Tab-separated table of all heavy atoms in Angstrom:
chain	number	residue	atom	x	y	z
A	569	LEU	N	3.277	-3.170	10.847
A	569	LEU	CA	3.860	-4.174	9.942
A	569	LEU	C	2.783	-4.787	9.049
A	569	LEU	O	2.997	-4.985	7.843
A	569	LEU	CB	4.585	-5.261	10.744
A	569	LEU	CG	5.909	-4.840	11.370
A	569	LEU	CD1	6.402	-5.895	12.352
A	569	LEU	CD2	6.947	-4.582	10.295
A	570	GLN	N	1.631	-5.075	9.630
A	570	GLN	CA	0.525	-5.626	8.844
A	570	GLN	C	0.056	-4.604	7.810
A	570	GLN	O	-0.200	-4.952	6.657
A	570	GLN	CB	-0.644	-6.030	9.760
A	570	GLN	CG	-1.786	-6.699	9.026
A	570	GLN	CD	-1.370	-8.001	8.374
A	570	GLN	OE1	-0.720	-8.835	8.993
A	570	GLN	NE2	-1.742	-8.175	7.129
A	571	ASP	N	-0.040	-3.340	8.210
A	571	ASP	CA	-0.428	-2.282	7.276
A	571	ASP	C	0.573	-2.165	6.131
A	571	ASP	O	0.181	-1.960	4.975
A	571	ASP	CB	-0.542	-0.936	7.990
A	571	ASP	CG	-1.790	-0.822	8.851
A	571	ASP	OD1	-2.675	-1.692	8.747
A	571	ASP	OD2	-1.860	0.145	9.641
A	572	LEU	N	1.855	-2.280	6.451
A	572	LEU	CA	2.878	-2.224	5.406
A	572	LEU	C	2.638	-3.302	4.353
A	572	LEU	O	2.634	-3.020	3.148
A	572	LEU	CB	4.263	-2.444	6.019
A	572	LEU	CG	5.075	-1.229	6.397
A	572	LEU	CD1	6.364	-1.649	7.080
A	572	LEU	CD2	5.367	-0.366	5.208
A	573	HIS	N	2.440	-4.516	4.809
A	573	HIS	CA	2.214	-5.623	3.875
A	573	HIS	C	0.910	-5.434	3.095
A	573	HIS	O	0.870	-5.650	1.878
A	573	HIS	CB	2.212	-6.958	4.614
A	573	HIS	CG	3.561	-7.371	5.108
A	573	HIS	ND1	4.545	-7.840	4.278
A	573	HIS	CD2	4.091	-7.363	6.341
A	573	HIS	CE1	5.637	-8.112	4.975
A	573	HIS	NE2	5.386	-7.816	6.237
A	574	ASP	N	-0.151	-5.015	3.781
A	574	ASP	CA	-1.441	-4.831	3.111
A	574	ASP	C	-1.376	-3.739	2.045
A	574	ASP	O	-1.845	-3.932	0.923
A	574	ASP	CB	-2.535	-4.483	4.129
A	574	ASP	CG	-2.885	-5.646	5.038
A	574	ASP	OD1	-2.494	-6.800	4.737
A	574	ASP	OD2	-3.556	-5.406	6.065
A	575	HIS	N	-0.793	-2.599	2.392
A	575	HIS	CA	-0.706	-1.501	1.423
A	575	HIS	C	0.224	-1.848	0.266
A	575	HIS	O	-0.044	-1.448	-0.878
A	575	HIS	CB	-0.258	-0.211	2.103
A	575	HIS	CG	-1.326	0.413	2.944
A	575	HIS	ND1	-2.478	0.946	2.432
A	575	HIS	CD2	-1.429	0.574	4.282
A	575	HIS	CE1	-3.237	1.417	3.396
A	575	HIS	NE2	-2.621	1.195	4.545
A	576	ALA	N	1.285	-2.574	0.535
A	576	ALA	CA	2.173	-3.012	-0.554
A	576	ALA	C	1.431	-3.955	-1.494
A	576	ALA	O	1.546	-3.837	-2.719
A	576	ALA	CB	3.426	-3.680	0.013
A	577	ASP	N	0.646	-4.870	-0.928
A	577	ASP	CA	-0.134	-5.790	-1.762
A	577	ASP	C	-1.152	-5.038	-2.612
A	577	ASP	O	-1.327	-5.328	-3.799
A	577	ASP	CB	-0.856	-6.823	-0.890
A	577	ASP	CG	0.090	-7.823	-0.253
A	577	ASP	OD1	1.260	-7.923	-0.682
A	577	ASP	OD2	-0.348	-8.513	0.696
A	578	ARG	N	-1.834	-4.061	-1.996
A	578	ARG	CA	-2.837	-3.288	-2.739
A	578	ARG	C	-2.195	-2.457	-3.841
A	578	ARG	O	-2.736	-2.368	-4.949
A	578	ARG	CB	-3.611	-2.381	-1.786
A	578	ARG	CG	-4.573	-3.135	-0.907
A	578	ARG	CD	-5.410	-2.177	-0.080
A	578	ARG	NE	-6.017	-2.891	1.025
A	578	ARG	CZ	-5.915	-2.544	2.293
A	578	ARG	NH1	-5.248	-1.464	2.633
A	578	ARG	NH2	-6.491	-3.245	3.226
A	579	LEU	N	-1.067	-1.851	-3.537
A	579	LEU	CA	-0.381	-1.049	-4.554
A	579	LEU	C	0.081	-1.931	-5.702
A	579	LEU	O	-0.048	-1.562	-6.875
A	579	LEU	CB	0.806	-0.298	-3.939
A	579	LEU	CG	1.588	0.599	-4.885
A	579	LEU	CD1	0.690	1.659	-5.523
A	579	LEU	CD2	2.751	1.254	-4.145
A	580	GLU	N	0.597	-3.096	-5.386
A	580	GLU	CA	1.024	-4.013	-6.440
A	580	GLU	C	-0.165	-4.427	-7.302
A	580	GLU	O	-0.071	-4.441	-8.536
A	580	GLU	CB	1.694	-5.249	-5.837
A	580	GLU	CG	2.181	-6.223	-6.879
A	580	GLU	CD	2.910	-7.418	-6.282
A	580	GLU	OE1	2.889	-7.597	-5.051
A	580	GLU	OE2	3.506	-8.172	-7.063
A	581	ALA	N	-1.289	-4.749	-6.682
A	581	ALA	CA	-2.484	-5.122	-7.439
A	581	ALA	C	-2.949	-3.962	-8.317
A	581	ALA	O	-3.319	-4.170	-9.487
A	581	ALA	CB	-3.598	-5.561	-6.484
A	582	ASP	N	-2.917	-2.740	-7.777
A	582	ASP	CA	-3.314	-1.568	-8.562
A	582	ASP	C	-2.385	-1.365	-9.759
A	582	ASP	O	-2.851	-1.071	-10.865
A	582	ASP	CB	-3.306	-0.304	-7.698
A	582	ASP	CG	-4.451	-0.257	-6.701
A	582	ASP	OD1	-5.392	-1.071	-6.813
A	582	ASP	OD2	-4.390	0.603	-5.790
A	583	LEU	N	-1.079	-1.496	-9.531
A	583	LEU	CA	-0.127	-1.311	-10.628
A	583	LEU	C	-0.291	-2.383	-11.702
A	583	LEU	O	-0.254	-2.075	-12.904
A	583	LEU	CB	1.301	-1.311	-10.087
A	583	LEU	CG	1.728	-0.047	-9.353
A	583	LEU	CD1	3.036	-0.279	-8.604
A	583	LEU	CD2	1.853	1.117	-10.320
A	584	LYS	N	-0.481	-3.616	-11.295
A	584	LYS	CA	-0.682	-4.694	-12.281
A	584	LYS	C	-1.994	-4.514	-13.026
A	584	LYS	O	-2.074	-4.761	-14.236
A	584	LYS	CB	-0.618	-6.050	-11.584
A	584	LYS	CG	0.797	-6.422	-11.181
A	584	LYS	CD	0.860	-7.770	-10.515
A	584	LYS	CE	2.298	-8.135	-10.188
A	584	LYS	NZ	2.392	-9.452	-9.537
A	585	ASP	N	-3.029	-4.065	-12.321
A	585	ASP	CA	-4.309	-3.791	-12.965
A	585	ASP	C	-4.150	-2.663	-13.976
A	585	ASP	O	-4.667	-2.734	-15.095
A	585	ASP	CB	-5.353	-3.427	-11.900
A	585	ASP	CG	-6.717	-3.171	-12.487
A	585	ASP	OD1	-7.154	-3.950	-13.362
A	585	ASP	OD2	-7.360	-2.184	-12.077
A	586	CYS	N	-3.427	-1.641	-13.609
A	586	CYS	CA	-3.153	-0.519	-14.509
A	586	CYS	C	-2.415	-1.008	-15.754
A	586	CYS	O	-2.774	-0.640	-16.874
A	586	CYS	CB	-2.341	0.535	-13.772
A	586	CYS	SG	-2.014	2.019	-14.748
A	587	ARG	N	-1.412	-1.831	-15.545
A	587	ARG	CA	-0.638	-2.361	-16.679
A	587	ARG	C	-1.541	-3.164	-17.621
A	587	ARG	O	-1.481	-2.994	-18.840
A	587	ARG	CB	0.504	-3.233	-16.159
A	587	ARG	CG	1.360	-3.814	-17.276
A	587	ARG	CD	2.478	-4.658	-16.751
A	587	ARG	NE	1.950	-5.740	-15.930
A	587	ARG	CZ	2.684	-6.465	-15.102
A	587	ARG	NH1	3.967	-6.232	-14.979
A	587	ARG	NH2	2.137	-7.431	-14.409
A	588	ASP	N	-2.404	-4.010	-17.055
A	588	ASP	CA	-3.307	-4.815	-17.883
A	588	ASP	C	-4.293	-3.940	-18.666
A	588	ASP	O	-4.553	-4.171	-19.845
A	588	ASP	CB	-4.076	-5.811	-17.017
A	588	ASP	CG	-3.181	-6.884	-16.409
A	588	ASP	OD1	-2.039	-7.061	-16.895
A	588	ASP	OD2	-3.630	-7.539	-15.445
A	589	ARG	N	-4.840	-2.923	-17.996
A	589	ARG	CA	-5.786	-2.029	-18.672
A	589	ARG	C	-5.108	-1.253	-19.793
A	589	ARG	O	-5.689	-1.060	-20.865
A	589	ARG	CB	-6.381	-1.047	-17.670
A	589	ARG	CG	-7.337	-1.689	-16.707
A	589	ARG	CD	-8.048	-0.586	-15.970
A	589	ARG	NE	-8.237	-0.897	-14.582
A	589	ARG	CZ	-8.795	-0.057	-13.725
A	589	ARG	NH1	-9.172	1.134	-14.106
A	589	ARG	NH2	-8.959	-0.393	-12.473
A	590	LEU	N	-3.887	-0.786	-19.525
A	590	LEU	CA	-3.153	-0.065	-20.562
A	590	LEU	C	-2.881	-0.969	-21.764
A	590	LEU	O	-3.021	-0.541	-22.918
A	590	LEU	CB	-1.835	0.482	-20.006
A	590	LEU	CG	-1.948	1.705	-19.116
A	590	LEU	CD1	-0.618	1.962	-18.409
A	590	LEU	CD2	-2.369	2.921	-19.930
A	591	GLN	N	-2.516	-2.210	-21.505
A	591	GLN	CA	-2.248	-3.142	-22.600
A	591	GLN	C	-3.514	-3.389	-23.425
A	591	GLN	O	-3.462	-3.412	-24.657
A	591	GLN	CB	-1.696	-4.461	-22.065
A	591	GLN	CG	-0.267	-4.374	-21.599
A	591	GLN	CD	0.218	-5.649	-20.922
A	591	GLN	OE1	-0.564	-6.509	-20.537
A	591	GLN	NE2	1.529	-5.747	-20.767
A	592	ARG	N	-4.664	-3.548	-22.736
A	592	ARG	CA	-5.919	-3.760	-23.458
A	592	ARG	C	-6.278	-2.524	-24.286
A	592	ARG	O	-6.692	-2.643	-25.445
A	592	ARG	CB	-7.052	-4.086	-22.488
A	592	ARG	CG	-7.020	-5.513	-21.987
A	592	ARG	CD	-8.324	-5.910	-21.310
A	592	ARG	NE	-8.716	-5.018	-20.238
A	592	ARG	CZ	-8.335	-5.132	-18.968
A	592	ARG	NH1	-7.551	-6.128	-18.615
A	592	ARG	NH2	-8.744	-4.277	-18.055
A	593	ALA	N	-6.124	-1.351	-23.684
A	593	ALA	CA	-6.458	-0.118	-24.399
A	593	ALA	C	-5.554	0.062	-25.617
A	593	ALA	O	-6.034	0.409	-26.708
A	593	ALA	CB	-6.333	1.079	-23.461
A	594	HIS	N	-4.282	-0.173	-25.448
A	594	HIS	CA	-3.363	-0.011	-26.576
A	594	HIS	C	-3.615	-1.065	-27.648
A	594	HIS	O	-3.454	-0.784	-28.837
A	594	HIS	CB	-1.910	-0.044	-26.105
A	594	HIS	CG	-1.499	1.215	-25.409
A	594	HIS	ND1	-0.976	1.215	-24.149
A	594	HIS	CD2	-1.564	2.520	-25.790
A	594	HIS	CE1	-0.724	2.462	-23.777
A	594	HIS	NE2	-1.074	3.268	-24.742
A	595	ALA	N	-4.030	-2.248	-27.243
A	595	ALA	CA	-4.337	-3.290	-28.226
A	595	ALA	C	-5.536	-2.888	-29.079
A	595	ALA	O	-5.559	-3.130	-30.289
A	595	ALA	CB	-4.616	-4.616	-27.516
Side-chain angles (χ1 to χ4, degrees):
L569 287 169
Q570 184 62 47
D571 285 349
L572 265 176
H573 289 286
D574 291 346
H575 286 293
D577 290 345
R578 287 186 197 126
L579 181 58
E580 181 177 10
D582 288 348
L583 285 167
K584 287 181 177 180
D585 182 44
C586 183
R587 180 180 58 195
D588 293 343
R589 289 191 219 177
L590 284 168
Q591 286 173 344
R592 282 194 305 272
H594 286 125

